[in-house]
Every structure is written in structure tokens, then in C-alpha cells.
């Protein structure tokens, strides 16, 4: 890659979509597949997904979840057992009608979600209250065929995700499960991805098909749009009744289970890339970076051996401490090119090592987000670099937090909602009567929607009248444009 090819040519502020696509491709995260609406995830992009997966999967297992895997094809008759699923996903389902040379007797759906294939087996596996709670999760891909304008990780016809499915004895237990998973998603964004999020629930007309309540974590992007980053659904007993998930309670009476489902997709990677990256390329926190430290030795011919030896010792020490290191000792590239390439690729910390660092037993440490340069002692560098990782993480989180705090505004009328979103974007908090028509009135004019309401249903709106129709307001709604 030439110096010119390394550069990001699009503006994050003024051409966010084009800038984002350029970062994804030039940072070697993904490429476009030959079929429209699909992407190829390259090793560096998949490494980000693996880092996210490792964290989340560990937390799931620590809280009683077992991983399983269910077929990607779902018989049409299974989907139809839960009518809300069929209606909710109808335009998004891809169908298989032929296998080899033979036409299938029954159409098979390529899973848009797996409730209707997992629930029948949960019904088989649950007999008594002793079998509960049952907690299952699978890491897989799903297909939603209606995706048109492809944006890598944000919107593709096929995408990677995890989906958890659980069954419980009571509503309280199932609701606790729903909140536990929402807590874990929030923890992932705030403690691993350096992105503050808003917690809430979807309005009734936008909840998961068949669900009692859909809860969500929403992340605000630098362009003022919201990303539904993960959802956790309390399904009530609707799926259990449709698929006969029943159990014998302690009194030997038959009871219907309460179920949940919860999921996070690689849309979270889109949020990660868009939130932190800049016009030099990818920026990611050390917690998920495929390479955490790039060591760039700087030498003339007469100092090459001593500089490389010193750099190799440091690389070995970091690797022994579990740090992911790239010792960039390429002869054919100058230091400036290497700096730019590692910045493009989002390496959080760079070590610059020349003859002066060797002589003084020091290391010049440079932070990716802002280029801050600090000289550190060579001694205990494995411990010192962890402090730099924390500093880089804090810088990223604080910038994202400032963006969120500055972009939550209030409105008491439709004109204020439209004007505020039109001028500032971000979230607009407004009193709402609960009627979908009031969201539609805003959406038709500015393509903004209600992305969430407060989790606590007892939160009273500050005004008595709905901001849109002026009928009695029953709750608070957050309007925003969204990905």
C-alpha cells in the first residue's frame, strides 16, 4: 500500500457514511461480497468480533448459560406456530424451496431469529420445575433479506450475532433474567468498547414480535444517530403457550413457563468503529484491539543492531505479559509510513525506539487517539503499558460520553422535536401519549422515531400533554434518527 492509499479521503463530519466505509476497507476489516447485501469479514475485523465474543460468552457462562447450536433452516410450519413471528419477519425471510434437483415438500426459512426452532426443543427438555431455569445461547448468523443499502456491520442481509433463550418458573424470574442480560450488554459497551449507552424499552409498537417487553441499550453515534446496540426481551408466556413449554410445579400441577430471548449482533462493531475512529483511520480501545502495541524501531545503518536488539527484548517482555505486539522491523518501509499504517489500523499504543531511547534505557510511548507522546523508563514496561491502556480507554470513553451528554435535549411540541433533530440530531426527550400515530407524524417529516422509553414505567413526563397531539401524556419518549 502506498502513502497515498493509506490516507482517509472522506470527512467524518461531512460525509460520515463514505468515511465509515473507507475506514472499514482501508483498515482491512471487511470487503464487499459478490452478492449484494453481503460482506466478507477479514481477519482483523473478525478479531474484533472474537474479542467481543470472548468477553460476553464468559459472562454468560458465569451466570448459568450453556451454549448450543440449532439448524439454520426452520420449517415453515414451525414459524407459523407463533403468528407474531411470521407477521413480524415476513418481508425479511429468505426461503429455501429446492434441495439438489428436488422441490421440497415444505419450505424452509433461513433463520431470521430462532425462537420457533429452539422453543419446541425447550418444550421437550423441560418436564418439571427441577429442569428450570433453562438457559441456552447460540453464536451463529441470521439472514434478514429486506436489507437494501449495505453498510458493513451496521446493515447486511446476513450478520453474525448471539441469541440467548431461557425458560423460567415465574414472571419475576424471567424479568430478572431479562435485566441481567441487559446489564451485561451495558457492561460490554461501557467496560469493553468504551461507549456509554442509554438503557430503555422499546415502545409497544416496536417491540419484538410476540414479546411482552423489549428492552434495549442505545448508543449515540458522532453524527447524532442512535444505534440499537443490543436487545433483551421478556416474552411472557406467549411462546411457551404456542410451543407447549410447560412444567410440573412443586404441587404436581402443570404450569406454563415464562421465557426470554436476548441478542447482540455485529452491529456493535459498527458502533465501535464509528464512535472512536477518525480521519487517520480506525481507532479502537486496547480491550479489543487485535494489536495493542506497535513497536517501531528507528535506526541508521550504524545503530540498527543495537536498536533492534533493544526493541526485540521489549517485544518479548510484553508478549510474555500477554500483550499483543507487532514489532515492525520492515526494512523496506520508513518510520513515517509505519506510523501512518499503524494509525490507520487502530493500534492503540505505539512505541518509538531509536538510538537515544537505547542509550537512556527509555521508550517513547505514543497514544493513538490524540498523538500524545510520553517518555517512559524501560524498567517494568509491561506494567507501565497497562497504565497507558487505561489512559487510552479513558480518553475514548470520555469523548463518547461528552458526545452523549451534549446531545440529549428536551422538547414540548412537534415543532421543537423536528427543529431540534433537524439542527442537532441526537436524542430528543418528549412527553408522549403512547399512540404510534404521533411517532409516525414525526417520522414522515424527518425520518426520526421513538428509539426508547424509560425502563421504569412509572416515570412521569414533565408536561401533561403529548408533544405531538396534545392529548394527555402517559410516558416519556426519546426520539432520534437511527441506523
Amino acid at each position: 500500500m502506498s502513502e497515498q492509499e493509506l490516507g482517509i479521503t472522506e470527512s467524518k463530519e461531512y460525509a460520515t457514511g463514505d468515511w465509515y466505509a473507507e475506514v472499514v476497507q482501508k483498515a482491512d476489516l471487511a470487503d464487499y461480497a459478490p452478492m449484494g447485501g453481503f460482506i466478507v469479514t477479514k481477519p482483523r475485523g473478525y478479531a474484533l468480533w472474537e474479542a467481543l465474543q470472548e468477553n460476553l460468552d464468559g459472562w454468560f457462562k458465569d451466570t448459568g448459560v450453556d451454549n448450543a447450536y440449532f439448524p439454520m433452516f426452520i420449517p415453515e410450519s414451525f414459524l407459523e406456530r407463533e403468528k407474531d413471528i411470521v407477521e413480524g419477519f415476513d418481508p425479511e425471510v429468505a426461503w429455501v424451496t429446492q434441495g439438489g434437483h428436488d422441490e421440497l415438500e415444505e419450505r424452509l426459512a433461513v433463520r431470521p431469529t430462532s425462537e420457533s426452532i429452539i422453543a419446541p426443543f425447550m418444550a421437550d427438555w423441560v418436564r418439571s420445575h427441577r429442569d428450570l431455569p433453562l438457559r441456552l445461547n447460540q453464536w451463529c448468523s441470521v439472514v434478514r433479506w429486506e436489507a437494501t443499502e449495505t453498510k458493513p456491520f451496521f446493515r447486511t442481509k446476513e450478520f453474525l450475532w448471539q441469541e440467548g433463550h431461557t425458560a423460567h418458573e415465574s414472571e419475576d424470574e424471567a424479568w430478572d433474567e431479562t435485566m441481567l442480560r441487559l446489564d451485561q450488554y451495558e457492561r460490554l459497551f461501557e467496560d469493553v468498547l468504551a461507549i456509554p449507552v442509554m438503557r430503555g424499552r422499546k415502545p409497544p409498537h416496536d417491540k419484538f414480535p410476540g414479546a411482552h417487553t423489549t428492552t434495549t441499550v442505545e448508543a449515540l453515534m458522532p453524527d447524532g444517530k442512535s444505534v440499537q446496540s443490543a436487545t433483551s426481551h421478556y416474552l411472557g408466556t406467549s411462546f411457551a403457550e404456542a410451543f407447549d413449554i410447560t412444567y410440573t410445579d412443586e404441587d404436581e400441577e402443570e404450569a406454563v413457563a415464562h421465557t426470554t430471548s436476548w441478542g447482540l449482533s455485529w452491529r456493535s462493531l459498527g458502533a465501535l468503529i464509528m464512535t472512536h475512529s477518525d480521519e487517520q483511520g480506525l481507532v479502537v480501545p486496547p480491550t479489543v484491539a487485535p494489536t495493542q502495541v506497535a513497536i517501531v524501531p528507528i535506526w541508521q545503518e550504524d545503530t540498527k543492531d543495537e536498536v533492534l536488539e533493544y526493541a526485540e527484548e521489549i517485544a518479548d517482555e510484553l508478549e510474555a505479559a500477554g500483550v499483543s505486539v507487532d514489532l515492525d522491523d520492515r526494512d523496506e518501509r520508513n518510520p513515517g509510513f509505519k506510523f501512518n499504517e499503524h494509525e490507520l489500523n487502530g493500534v492503540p499504543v505505539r512505541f518509538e525506539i531509536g538510538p537515544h531511547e537505547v542509550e537512556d534505557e527509555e521508550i517513547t510511548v505514543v497514544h493513538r487517539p490524540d498523538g500524545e507522546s510520553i517518555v517512559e523508563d524501560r524498567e517494568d514496561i509491561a506494567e507501565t503499558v497497562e497504565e497507558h491502556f487505561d489512559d487510552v480507554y479513558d480518553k475514548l470513553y470520555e469523548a463518547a460520553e461528552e458526545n452523549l451528554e451534549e446531545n440529549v435535549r428536551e422538547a414540548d411540541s412537534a415543532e421543537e422535536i423536528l427543529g431540534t433533530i433537524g439542527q442537532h440530531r441526537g436524542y430528543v426527550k418528549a412527553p408522549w401519549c403512547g399512540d404510534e400515530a404521533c411517532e409516525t407524524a414525526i417520522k414522515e417529516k424527518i425520518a426520526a422515531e421513538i428509539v426508547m422509553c424509560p425502563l421504569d414505567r412509572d416515570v412521569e413526563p414533565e408536561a401533561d400533554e403529548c408533544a405531538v397531539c396534545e392529548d394527555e401524556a402517559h410516558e416519556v419518549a426519546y426520539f432520534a434518527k437511527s441506523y
Side-chain angles (χ1 to χ4, degrees), residues 292-309:
Q292 295 172 301
V293 177
I295 300 178
V296 180
I298 304 165
W299 68 78
Q300 275 79 40
E301 221 28 68
D302 60 329
T303 58
K304 180 177 180 180
D305 289 346
E306 63 186 60
V307 167
L308 281 179
E309 182 180 357

Side-chain angles (χ1 to χ4, degrees), residues 163-378:
E163 50 178 316
H165 301 267
T166 71
H168 305 265
E169 288 189 62
S170 69
E171 177 180 351
D172 286 348
E173 289 178 12
W175 182 251
D176 288 346
E177 177 78 16
T178 304
M179 289 296 98
L180 170 61
R181 303 310 159 195
L182 196 71
D183 290 344
Q184 290 177 331
Y185 292 142
E186 181 179 30
R187 177 184 175 191
L188 179 78
F189 276 85
E190 302 210 334
D191 295 354
V192 178
L193 303 184
I195 301 175
V197 292
M198 303 265 284
R199 289 163 55 106
R201 56 183 167 83
K202 289 296 182 182
H205 59 267
D206 195 29
K207 64 186 179 181
F208 180 78
H212 178 279
T213 303
T214 288
T215 66
T216 181
V217 289
E218 300 280 330
L220 184 66
M221 296 298 98
D223 64 352
K225 290 184 179 179
S226 184
V227 175
Q228 178 183 295
S229 302
T231 50
S232 184
H233 317 282
Y234 167 53
L235 301 177
T237 57
S238 61
F239 281 86
E241 288 165 356
F243 293 95
D244 197 29
I245 307 176
T246 59
Y247 64 95
T248 305
D249 65 20
E250 292 183 7
D251 298 324
E252 296 298 317
E253 298 289 333
E254 186 173 84
V256 179
H258 293 254
T259 66
T260 77
S261 67
W262 25 275
L264 172 141
S265 80
W266 70 14
R267 183 183 291 174
S268 52
L269 297 186
L272 171 74
I273 297 160
M274 185 171 282
T275 296
H276 302 307
S277 301
D278 58 24
E279 289 173 10
Q280 280 69 55
L282 180 69
V283 180
V284 293
T287 42
V288 296
T291 301
Q292 295 172 301
V293 177
I295 300 178
V296 180
I298 304 165
W299 68 78
Q300 275 79 40
E301 221 28 68
D302 60 329
T303 58
K304 180 177 180 180
D305 289 346
E306 63 186 60
V307 167
L308 281 179
E309 182 180 357
Y310 185 77
E312 286 167 359
E313 288 174 0
I314 291 168
D316 289 344
E317 185 174 330
L318 293 183
E319 287 175 349
V323 176
S324 173
V325 182
D326 177 7
L327 173 55
D328 192 346
D329 57 0
R330 291 175 291 175
D331 263 327
E332 72 277 12
R333 295 297 190 188
N334 64 44
F337 180 94
K338 294 176 183 179
F339 295 165
N340 290 338
E341 187 173 59
H342 293 304
E343 286 178 0
L344 173 68
N345 289 336
V347 180
V349 172
R350 182 172 74 241
F351 284 5
E352 297 175 9
I353 296 173
H356 293 302
E357 281 81 6
V358 176
E359 183 179 348
D360 297 337
E361 294 196 358
E362 293 176 338
I363 296 159
T364 298
V365 182
V366 181
H367 293 180
R368 169 63 180 90
D370 56 3
E372 182 182 1
S373 178
I374 306 104
V375 176
E376 294 284 9
D377 288 337
R378 160 74 180 83

Side-chain angles (χ1 to χ4, degrees), residues 303-462:
T303 58
K304 180 177 180 180
D305 289 346
E306 63 186 60
V307 167
L308 281 179
E309 182 180 357
Y310 185 77
E312 286 167 359
E313 288 174 0
I314 291 168
D316 289 344
E317 185 174 330
L318 293 183
E319 287 175 349
V323 176
S324 173
V325 182
D326 177 7
L327 173 55
D328 192 346
D329 57 0
R330 291 175 291 175
D331 263 327
E332 72 277 12
R333 295 297 190 188
N334 64 44
F337 180 94
K338 294 176 183 179
F339 295 165
N340 290 338
E341 187 173 59
H342 293 304
E343 286 178 0
L344 173 68
N345 289 336
V347 180
V349 172
R350 182 172 74 241
F351 284 5
E352 297 175 9
I353 296 173
H356 293 302
E357 281 81 6
V358 176
E359 183 179 348
D360 297 337
E361 294 196 358
E362 293 176 338
I363 296 159
T364 298
V365 182
V366 181
H367 293 180
R368 169 63 180 90
D370 56 3
E372 182 182 1
S373 178
I374 306 104
V375 176
E376 294 284 9
D377 288 337
R378 160 74 180 83
E379 189 177 2
D380 299 325
I381 191 59
E383 289 81 8
T384 304
V385 77
E386 294 293 339
E387 296 173 9
H388 285 281
F389 290 164
D390 290 342
D391 290 343
V392 168
Y393 193 96
D394 290 344
K395 288 177 181 181
L396 296 178
Y397 188 91
E398 285 165 12
E401 186 175 44
E402 184 178 349
N403 178 59
L404 176 60
E405 289 176 351
E406 290 178 353
N407 287 285
V408 180
R409 300 175 176 86
E410 297 187 13
D412 290 323
S413 68
E415 290 72 22
E416 279 189 23
I417 295 171
L418 293 168
T420 304
I421 293 176
Q423 182 179 356
H424 304 288
R425 300 209 175 177
Y427 297 113
V428 178
K429 178 183 175 184
W432 178 47
C433 64
D435 190 339
E436 183 181 0
C438 290
E439 180 195 60
T440 303
I442 300 297
K443 187 185 272 189
E444 287 177 347
K445 292 182 179 177
I446 204 168
E449 59 191 357
I450 297 172
V451 296
M452 62 171 227
C453 300
L455 267 175
D456 184 353
R457 295 175 188 270
D458 294 329
V459 171
E460 292 289 334
E462 294 181 14

Side-chain angles (χ1 to χ4, degrees), residues 26-88:
K26 286 191 172 179
D28 235 17
L29 303 179
D31 212 338
Y32 294 98
M35 316 82 68
F38 293 81
I39 62 170
V40 174
T41 310
K42 300 177 83 169
R44 285 174 44 75
Y46 199 80
L48 292 175
W49 180 244
E50 287 180 313
L52 180 155
Q53 184 179 30
E54 182 180 351
N55 280 278
L56 207 51
D57 197 62
W59 301 339
F60 290 163
K61 287 172 179 170
D62 288 343
T63 48
V65 179
D66 292 312
N67 281 340
Y69 187 81
F70 292 81
M72 68 182 300
F73 297 130
I74 303 174
E76 185 171 13
S77 58
F78 277 53
L79 273 182
E80 288 178 342
R81 287 174 67 179
E82 219 312 312
K83 65 178 185 351
D84 288 326
I85 280 280
V86 179
E87 293 170 2

Side-chain angles (χ1 to χ4, degrees), residues 72-118:
M72 68 182 300
F73 297 130
I74 303 174
E76 185 171 13
S77 58
F78 277 53
L79 273 182
E80 288 178 342
R81 287 174 67 179
E82 219 312 312
K83 65 178 185 351
D84 288 326
I85 280 280
V86 179
E87 293 170 2
F89 287 96
D90 185 55
E92 303 185 5
V93 176
W95 294 101
V96 177
T97 58
Q98 185 170 315
H101 298 293
D102 301 323
E103 190 165 326
L104 301 181
E105 291 182 8
E106 181 180 12
R107 291 197 302 174
L108 299 176
V110 184
R111 61 175 168 235
T113 182
S114 295
E115 278 79 4
S116 55
I117 189 70
I118 293 178

